[in-house]
Amino acid sequence: MRLTVLGCGDAFGSGGRLHTCFHVAGDGTGFLIDCGASALIAMRRFGVDPNGIDTVFLTHLHGDHFGGLPWLILDGQLVSRRTAPLTIVGPPGIRERLPAAMEVLFPGSSTAERAFAVEVREIAAGEPATVGGVGVEAFAVEHPSGAPAHALRLAHAGRVLTYTGDTQWVDALIPAGRGADLMIAEGYTVARPVRFHLDWATLNRNLPEIAPRRLMLTHMSPEMIAHPADGYIAAEDGLVLEL
């Protein structure tokens, strides 16, 4: 599998970085992990075909993590002329939040006729599923967004990819990330605790038990962006990793 970082910024664009979005391609499928508001811009910039995205997996329902969906759907309808179904997988609440967001941004868009189906599937923590050939398991984390927030463990083509989403430290991150080929983790600050966000010092203390093969930090504040990367890959927009 090949992972492309389409966005790794925090909600405020620290360092000029785009909102959270990761594209994974491999074995005849393509999927996104989160789809922040700038996701479609990133796809154009980094050469990712929106029509090649079969599934979008969401960690939580903040705009910098799911706010790009209205543009992705409208692009399929009006620009890219999509015909293949698009599946949105997210925490309970996404089935109502997505059309509400579309109506706020583009009135009438949620009920417009399209040449492709949009299937919205809600998953709960502790209930593994397979969607589009990708195994997904959600783990409950701590990050209020008006709906449950999850870390995601994804398995495809013999590889395991974990993403913490945004969260303060919770013990559920240990089984979520244990032995993953790549663990993508929020690293908002170096050591300064910020409620509902993860700092590098806390994560680092728990890494021996998680033992991912590789670790990439994302969603970094300015202080974390300036911190020398030691023991992890520092995410950058456009970065490509082979899994």
Side-chain angles (χ1 to χ4, degrees):
M1 295 194 297
R2 171 176 292 184
L3 179 139
T4 302
V5 179
L6 295 181
C8 61
D10 60 13
F12 312 108
S14 294
R17 298 173 177 211
L18 299 170
H19 285 159
T20 298
C21 186
F22 305 99
H23 177 257
V24 180
D27 272 12
T29 190
F31 59 90
L32 298 181
I33 307 169
D34 281 350
C35 185
S38 59
L40 192 62
I41 298 169
M43 291 179 214
R44 304 292 192 225
R45 183 174 299 174
F46 299 119
V48 171
D49 179 7
N51 285 348
I53 296 165
D54 301 312
T55 311
V56 181
F57 296 95
L58 301 173
T59 60
H60 66 284
L61 304 186
H62 277 153
D64 57 321
H65 290 259
F66 97 107
L69 287 177
W71 280 275
L72 179 62
I73 292 169
L74 283 172
D75 172 81
Q77 175 188 344
L78 302 173
V79 179
S80 297
R81 302 298 179 184
R82 184 185 184 102
T83 57
L86 176 66
T87 302
I88 312 297
V89 180
I94 181 60
R95 191 171 282 117
E96 294 181 0
R97 191 80 68 86
L98 176 57
M102 294 188 71
E103 288 303 313
V104 166
L105 294 169
F106 299 99
S109 64
S110 69
T111 57
E113 184 177 350
R114 310 182 192 100
F116 63 98
V118 176
E119 178 186 356
V120 180
R121 181 168 175 177
E122 297 184 344
I123 60 171
E127 299 179 2
T130 300
V131 183
V134 180
V136 55
E137 185 172 4
F139 296 78
V141 297
E142 292 290 334
H143 190 74
S145 61
H150 292 156
L152 296 177
R153 184 179 177 94
L154 303 166
H156 178 67
R159 296 289 185 268
V160 174
L161 170 62
T162 290
Y163 177 39
T164 66
D166 293 356
T167 180
Q168 64 191 42
W169 174 261
V170 293
D171 288 343
L173 296 181
I174 296 172
R178 182 173 286 131
D181 293 283
L182 177 66
M183 181 178 187
I184 305 172
E186 182 185 27
Y188 193 61
T189 56
V190 178
R192 174 174 53 90
V194 175
R195 194 179 184 196
F196 303 128
H197 290 278
L198 188 57
D199 63 272
W200 166 233
T202 300
L203 176 62
N204 194 30
R205 285 196 300 271
N206 288 277
L207 279 179
E209 191 170 0
I210 303 172
R213 293 187 178 182
R214 285 191 288 178
L215 173 69
M216 181 168 70
L217 296 191
T218 187
H219 206 271
M220 295 181 281
S221 66
E223 71 166 273
M224 193 65 203
I225 293 172
H227 186 261
D230 183 14
Y232 61 87
I233 301 165
E236 296 182 9
D237 295 352
L239 177 67
V240 177
L241 294 177
E242 298 290 340
L243 303 182

